Each structure stands twice: as C-alpha cells, then as structure tokens.
Amino acid sequence: MLLVLFAALEQGFRLYFVVSSLCAAYILMDKAAEGMAKAGESSFNDEIMESDVELEGEVVEPDNDLPQKMGDPSVEVSEEKRDKAQLYKKKGVDALSEGKLNEAIEHLTEAILLNPTSAILYATRAGVFMKMKKPNAAIRDADVALQINPDSAKGYKSRGMAKAMLGKWEDAAHDLHVAAKLDFDEEISAELKKVEPNVHKIEEHKKKYERLRKERDMKKADAERKRKHAEEVSAASAVLKDGDVITIHSSNEFEAKIKAASSLSRLVILYFTATWCGPCRFMGPVYKSLAEKHRKIVFLKVDIDELGNVAHRWNVTSVPTFSFVINGKEIDKVVGADKTGLERKLAQYGSA
C-alpha cells in the first residue's frame, strides 16, 4: 500500500514539475515578446541624433560688449551738423587707414551723433567693428543703416560678413547676395566663395536628416497600421470559430460575423434553413462535415423563421439556400439539397 502511495506521490511531483516548467517557459516567451515590441516602439520614438557638419572658415567668439552709442535718426539735421559729421567721418577713415581702429570708432561715433540720418556712417563704422573682430557690434550698426536705407549695399555687405564671422552661414549668404545685386565688388565675391560651400553642406545635411526623419515617421506609421490590423485580425478571429458551424440568433450577430470574415478576407457560406424543412435535415450533417474540413471558410447558419429580415435582405425564397459571400457581397449561391453542387462551389471558391 505504501509503495503505491509513494509511486502516486512521485508521479504527482513529476507532473507538477512539468506544468511549472511549461508555465515558466510561457512567461519568459511573453516577456521576450513584450520586450521586442517595446524595443521596436522605442526605435521609432527615439530622436535621430544629428552629426556635426564639417565646415570651413574662421569663426570668432561673439562680442558681448555694451551696445555702442547710436544717434536718433528721427531728428532734423542742420547743414552745419552735416558738414561737421563729414569732417569726423574723414578723420575716422584716415585713422582706419593708419590702423588706429579705436580712434576711428571714436571719430565715426561723433559723426553719427551729429548726423544720425546717414546710413553710410553706420555702415562705415560697422566695417571698422568688423576689423576689430566685433561682429555683433557690426550687425547692430548694419541693422540701423538698413533701417535708414533699405537699399544700402554697404549695410548688407557689412552684416553679411559679420554673420559669416559668427558662423551664421545661411544668413550671411543671403545678405551678401543682396549686397552683390545692389553694388557688386570683389570683396563680396571673395566672401561668397568662402560662405557658399558651407551653405551647401548645411543644406545637404538638413536634407539628409529630413529624409531620415520622414523614413522614420513612415516606418512608425506602417508599424502602427500593422499593429491595428493585427488587433483587428485578433478580434475577428475571436469572433469566428474555425471548423464549426456558427448559428446566428440576431441581426447584430450576423453583421458582426460578416464584418469579422471580411477583415480576414475569408469566404463565408450562409446556410438558410428552417426547422420544418425536410431537405434541410439532410443537408445539416453535410454542412457540418464541410465546416470541419474547410476550417478557414466561415460557415454560418440562419433560421429564416427566427431571422426573417436577414433572409429577406439576402433574397432567400426557398430553403435550403447556400449563399457564397466575399467581403459582404454575394458572389454565388446553391438552392436546394444539392450536396454535389455545394461541394463543387466550395472547391471553386474555397481555393481562391
């Protein structure tokens, strides 16, 4: 008796071990699948890291000095002040030619304060700031020059060269091109030759990463479509019973089964029958046997007395009637207890 008991216990422990191992394996498989799904989702959501663009040319550190003195361009300037401003301008240009940059700034500032309506004075001082490696100060002067005279070639030129010094290559190219249209000179041409290759590299860089982002977004959208489709297929598969005849009891149930079959692109056979129909009793077992054989075809059964509205909608005038349906539309039918005709139609459409 004890031996039998011990043998039973041993068999029980073995069974427990097998079941526990299978459960653990399924848990690991589920976690692995979940991890792969999250990894795939993460790859779509991760931001694309852009590499640096290798650019040519010297770039200076931005100057952070306090803004230089500016005049009020709205004031009225007398001839006397205008003449004095011209004298200071000349002194500034002379100092510039001698390499005395700070002195040139002082003289040009005096000229600006005397005649703040002159775009050329601001543009000239901007040029001096450029030589002092103060691009931000040059840009401020060029901006004022262009406010006074939107067609100031010198203003665009100074601002374009200053922006190039700061590495703002695209803005620099724009200003230099405008300056070249207004008053072309060799200095602008030389500067454009330095700026434009960098602009081209930046444009190509932007196009590359824009294309990569579009590709990522397209893959993400495609993955989302596939995920939704998989959910729809899973839901549809749960509604249908492979290898069984599904008896329909309501219009809503009927529509749900047809929709589920359509989402899976499956052929549907509608078997319209009645309890009082003698030939239907003959075809019932045949229909069940065919359902077991053709598991990927959906076999529905509708009692015309229970769902007369469905029978009417499908133009059923006698039973048994077998309607062949794809994507919600009838493509053929067999009327009567025609076992051979039903099998022939199944062979014809079931392999499509």
Side-chain angles (χ1 to χ4, degrees):
M1 184 70 178
L2 287 173
L3 288 173
V4 172
L5 179 62
F6 283 131
L9 286 172
E10 183 180 1
Q11 186 175 3
F13 280 128
R14 285 179 179 174
L15 180 61
Y16 172 77
F17 177 76
V18 170
V19 172
S20 299
S21 299
L22 286 171
C23 290
Y26 281 124
I27 291 170
L28 289 172
M29 287 170 66
D30 285 344
K31 286 185 176 180
E34 183 180 353
M36 288 174 68
K38 287 183 177 179
E41 183 179 349
S42 175
S43 67
F44 291 129
N45 291 331
D46 289 344
E47 185 62 29
I48 294 173
M49 301 300 293
E50 293 190 21
S51 60
D52 293 331
V53 187
E54 294 184 7
L55 303 174
E56 304 294 332
E58 180 186 358
V59 176
V60 302
E61 288 293 324
D63 49 307
N64 298 314
D65 300 339
L66 291 173
Q68 61 270 34
K69 290 181 181 180
M70 300 287 188
D72 181 1
S74 65
V75 301
E76 217 173 289
V77 180
S78 64
E79 284 299 321
E80 182 183 355
K81 285 185 176 181
R82 203 180 299 276
D83 292 341
K84 282 185 178 180
Q86 282 300 106
L87 289 173
Y88 275 111
K89 178 193 174 187
K90 184 177 183 307
K91 288 180 180 180
V93 172
D94 290 342
L96 176 62
S97 66
E98 295 172 8
K100 300 175 182 178
L101 303 181
N102 287 320
E103 186 179 327
I105 291 293
E106 290 175 8
H107 291 313
L108 290 168
T109 300
E110 289 296 330
I112 286 169
L113 294 175
L114 286 165
N115 183 11
T117 63
S118 172
I120 193 68
L121 289 176
Y122 284 103
T124 303
R125 189 173 67 172
V128 180
F129 279 127
M130 287 287 300
K131 292 187 177 296
M132 296 174 74
K133 305 293 184 185
K134 294 185 176 183
N136 281 329
I139 289 170
R140 285 193 290 269
D141 271 352
D143 285 342
V144 176
L146 291 167
Q147 287 172 12
I148 297 169
N149 178 15
D151 293 326
S152 171
K154 197 167 184 178
Y156 279 111
K157 174 182 174 180
S158 298
R159 192 169 70 179
M161 294 176 71
K163 288 183 175 180
M165 288 182 69
L166 292 170
K168 298 179 179 180
W169 306 107
E170 291 166 296
D171 291 342
H174 173 268
D175 282 349
L176 290 169
H177 278 295
V178 175
K181 288 180 181 178
L182 293 168
D183 186 15
F184 180 82
D185 64 36
E186 291 302 322
E187 191 175 16
I188 295 173
S189 176
E191 193 69 16
L192 279 171
K193 287 178 181 177
K194 291 189 290 183
V195 169
E196 285 185 324
N198 285 341
V199 173
H200 178 70
K201 288 180 181 178
I202 292 169
E203 287 175 351
E204 290 301 312
H205 180 83
K206 285 181 177 178
K207 288 178 183 176
K208 172 185 173 182
Y209 283 95
E210 183 180 354
R211 185 181 69 252
L212 289 174
R213 289 188 183 93
K214 282 183 179 178
E215 289 175 356
R216 178 199 61 188
D217 292 343
M218 287 174 65
K219 288 178 181 178
K220 185 177 180 181
D222 185 54
E224 180 64 14
R225 282 193 297 271
K226 288 179 179 177
R227 184 189 67 78
K228 287 183 177 179
H229 179 68
E231 287 180 353
E232 291 172 358
V233 168
S234 177
S237 298
V239 169
L240 305 175
K241 300 174 183 177
D242 294 350
D244 288 342
V245 174
I246 304 172
T247 301
I248 305 298
H249 297 288
S250 71
S251 295
N252 289 338
E253 184 185 8
F254 178 81
E255 294 299 333
K257 296 293 189 284
I258 292 293
K259 183 178 178 182
S262 296
S263 68
L264 296 174
S265 300
R266 289 195 185 181
L267 172 67
V268 178
I269 313 298
L270 303 180
Y271 171 30
F272 292 97
T273 182
T275 55
W276 45 261
C277 171
C280 296
R281 285 193 289 274
F282 166 71
M283 290 301 293
V286 174
Y287 194 63
K288 186 176 184 302
S289 175
L290 290 171
E292 292 170 354
K293 182 179 178 182
H294 301 277
R295 300 182 64 83
K296 292 305 177 183
I297 296 175
V298 180
F299 289 79
L300 304 183
K301 181 179 177 182
V302 179
D303 189 311
I304 62 170
D305 293 324
E306 185 179 0
L307 294 176
N309 59 334
V310 174
H312 177 72
R313 198 182 337 146
W314 288 84
N315 299 316
V316 176
T317 57
S318 64
V319 287
T321 293
F322 302 88
S323 292
F324 289 72
V325 179
I326 293 179
N327 294 325
K329 295 181 180 180
E330 185 180 75
I331 58 169
D332 207 340
K333 68 167 56 175
V334 174
V335 179
D338 185 358
K339 178 176 178 291
T340 304
L342 181 60
E343 291 175 340
R344 186 170 61 250
K345 296 290 185 186
L346 267 172
Q348 178 182 349
Y349 298 112
S351 59

